[in-house]
Amino acid sequence: MLQALQYVKEYKEEQIYPAICKAMDALSIAQDMRPGLKVVIKPNLIMAKSPDFPVTTHPLVIKAVGRWLNEHGVTDITLAESSGGLYNAEYMKNIYRTCGVKILEPEITLNMDFSAQTVNCKSGFANRSFHIITPVLKADYIINICKLKTHSMTGYSGGIKNLFGTIPGLEKPQIHYRWPDLEDFSRMLLELAQTVNPQLTIIDAIDAMEGNGPTGGTSHPLHLLLAARDFYTQDYFAAGLMGLDPMNIEMIKQAVKAGLAHPDEIQVVGDPVPENLTPFQLPDTKKLDFSNFLPGFLRKPFVKIASRLFQSYPQLNPDLCVGCGKCAESCPAHVIQIENKKAKFRRKGCISCFCCQEMCPMKAISVKKAL
C-alpha cells in the first residue's frame, strides 16, 4: 500500500497545494481523471467550529484538492457532509459559514440536496442496508478528506470513522443506539466504509487533535498531510503516528482481521516519517478504562462482570452549560432534557456513546466513572 506523506508547516495555500500535487502524483491519481467526472469531496465538518481549531477539515486542504481537480479537467465537484446535528439547509448553511468552506465557491459546489437513499449491503453484513446522503451515491469518484483526532468512543478518528458523516443528520444517534457496544459499532463503521468505498482518502494532520476528541480535545500538530487509496491500511499507519497501538483500536483491529488493512505492505512515499513524534493524549474515556490493560482472553469476561461498576458516564459542568440543547438532540437513548436552561442527565438508559460530549460546543461535559 502506497502511503503518500507530505510535510506542511502551516495552513498556507502556497504550502498545501504543492504537497497535494506531490501526493496525487505519487498515487497516480491523474490516471483516474476524465472530463465529466462527478467528484464528491467528503470532509469532516462535525460541528460549526472555526478552522482555527483542530475540529474540522481545514478549508485550505479542500481548496487545494479542488484546484488540483480543476487543473486536471474536472469541474463537477461537490462538497457533501452530514454534520452531527440536523441535516437541512438552515443548519448546513451555518456549518459551511462557520467552518470556513464558503471560500471554496464557486469552484466547489456546497451541497444543498438534503435527501438520502437506502443502499443494500453485501451479503453477510450485520447491517442489511444503510441510508446514505444522495450526493455521495450519485458521485463517480469520492475523495474522503478527514481530520486526524482521538475519539472518546472509538479511540481514533480518521478515514474509516469520517464516513459516518454519510449517514444523514440525526439518524446517526439511532445507529449508536442500535449498536451501543464498541465491537458492534466498529463493525458497523467497517460495513459502512465498504459500502461507500471512497477512491482516495486524505488525512489533514497539519494540526490534529488529542484528548477528548472529536470536538473537545486540544491541538497536537503533526505538520503532515497523508494520502492513500487504501484508507484501511492508512488508518493503521496514522494511528501509529499518534503513538497509539493500532490493534487496540477496535475498528482497525477488525479491518486487519478481515483482510481489509494490510500493515505489512505499507510503503511510505514522499517525505520521511518525522523523528521524535510525541504520543497523543488519550480521551478521558480511555484513560479510565483499565480493562484495556488486561490480556485479551480476560477482557470480555471482565467487561461483562464489571461493566456497570466501571462504566464511563457523561458528567455535566452546569457552570459551562448554556442550555443550547445540542446534547439532548444528539442523545440516541433520549436520557437528556433541558430544564431551566441547563441540561439534565439521567444515568438509567445511558449507553455511554458520548455523543453528548462530542456535540457540546461549550466543553461542558466530561467523563465520570460509576465507581
Side-chain angles (χ1 to χ4, degrees), residues 21 160 269:
C21 290
I160 298 169
V269 294

Side-chain angles (χ1 to χ4, degrees), residues 166-337:
T166 63
I167 302 295
L170 297 179
E171 291 183 30
K172 289 191 280 293
Q174 296 174 25
I175 294 179
H176 271 286
Y177 195 71
R178 182 184 178 193
W179 304 117
D181 181 77
L182 178 59
E183 185 175 335
D184 293 335
F185 186 77
S186 299
R187 180 190 60 208
M188 179 280 301
L189 289 174
L190 286 178
E191 292 180 357
L192 176 61
Q194 292 171 80
T195 303
V196 176
N197 194 30
Q199 284 73 27
L200 173 65
T201 295
I202 296 170
I203 298 181
D204 172 9
I206 300 172
D207 192 9
M209 177 177 284
E210 66 179 356
N212 293 324
T215 61
T218 54
S219 169
H220 190 133
L222 288 184
H223 306 292
L224 294 173
L225 284 175
L226 294 77
R229 293 178 181 270
D230 173 2
F231 61 100
Y232 304 103
T233 309
Q234 182 185 45
D235 273 352
Y236 185 103
F237 176 77
L241 293 178
M242 301 167 78
L244 306 176
D245 182 348
M247 295 304 285
N248 281 341
I249 306 299
E250 182 63 31
M251 62 182 152
I252 298 177
K253 180 178 72 175
Q254 289 187 23
V256 172
K257 290 184 175 181
L260 295 169
H262 307 279
D264 295 334
E265 300 176 11
I266 297 173
Q267 180 183 349
V268 178
V269 294
D271 293 326
V273 175
E275 297 180 0
N276 302 320
L277 291 175
T278 56
F280 277 50
Q281 290 291 318
L282 298 176
D284 291 340
T285 49
K286 302 303 177 183
K287 289 178 183 177
L288 297 172
D289 183 8
F290 64 104
S291 66
N292 287 334
F293 298 102
L294 293 172
F297 69 94
L298 288 177
R299 196 170 298 156
K300 271 199 171 183
F302 174 84
V303 170
K304 286 184 178 180
I305 294 169
S307 59
R308 288 192 178 184
L309 291 176
F310 298 101
Q311 185 175 356
S312 299
Y313 288 98
Q315 177 174 261
L316 180 75
N317 181 340
D319 292 335
L320 296 178
C321 178
V322 296
C324 67
K326 294 295 182 184
C327 55
E329 179 184 82
S330 64
C331 178
H334 304 293
V335 297
I336 306 173
Q337 293 181 331

Side-chain angles (χ1 to χ4, degrees), residues 20-134:
I20 288 294
C21 290
K22 291 176 182 177
M24 297 297 205
D25 287 347
L27 300 174
S28 302
I29 301 299
Q31 296 179 7
D32 301 348
M33 300 297 106
R34 66 176 189 274
L37 192 72
K38 184 184 292 292
V39 175
V40 160
I41 293 175
K42 164 61 180 80
N44 182 333
L45 303 180
I46 184 172
M47 68 189 308
K49 200 75 172 177
S50 165
D52 294 334
F53 300 94
V55 175
T56 57
T57 305
H58 200 283
L60 289 181
V61 176
I62 306 169
K63 184 178 182 181
V65 172
R67 177 179 167 185
W68 184 92
L69 290 168
N70 283 163
E71 293 184 358
H72 286 77
V74 177
T75 57
D76 189 346
I77 311 167
T78 300
L79 180 146
E81 162 74 319
S82 172
S83 300
L86 299 173
Y87 188 55
N88 58 32
E90 182 180 2
Y91 190 89
M92 290 306 301
K93 282 180 180 178
N94 181 52
I95 292 285
Y96 295 153
R97 181 176 60 255
T98 307
C99 294
V101 298
K102 292 287 288 182
I103 67 167
L104 304 176
E105 295 179 309
E107 288 77 13
I108 297 176
T109 300
L110 305 182
N111 173 51
M112 294 301 290
D113 174 0
F114 301 108
S115 63
Q117 300 176 32
T118 300
V119 179
N120 293 327
C121 295
K122 293 180 181 178
S123 176
F125 279 13
N127 295 271
R128 294 184 179 180
S129 64
F130 285 110
H131 205 215
I132 295 175
I133 60 176
T134 299

Side-chain angles (χ1 to χ4, degrees), residues 334-353:
H334 304 293
V335 297
I336 306 173
Q337 293 181 331
I338 306 300
E339 298 181 2
N340 299 320
K341 298 183 179 180
K342 298 290 181 182
K344 185 176 181 180
F345 291 70
R346 187 178 75 246
R347 180 177 294 183
K348 184 178 180 181
C350 176
I351 63 173
S352 299
C353 65

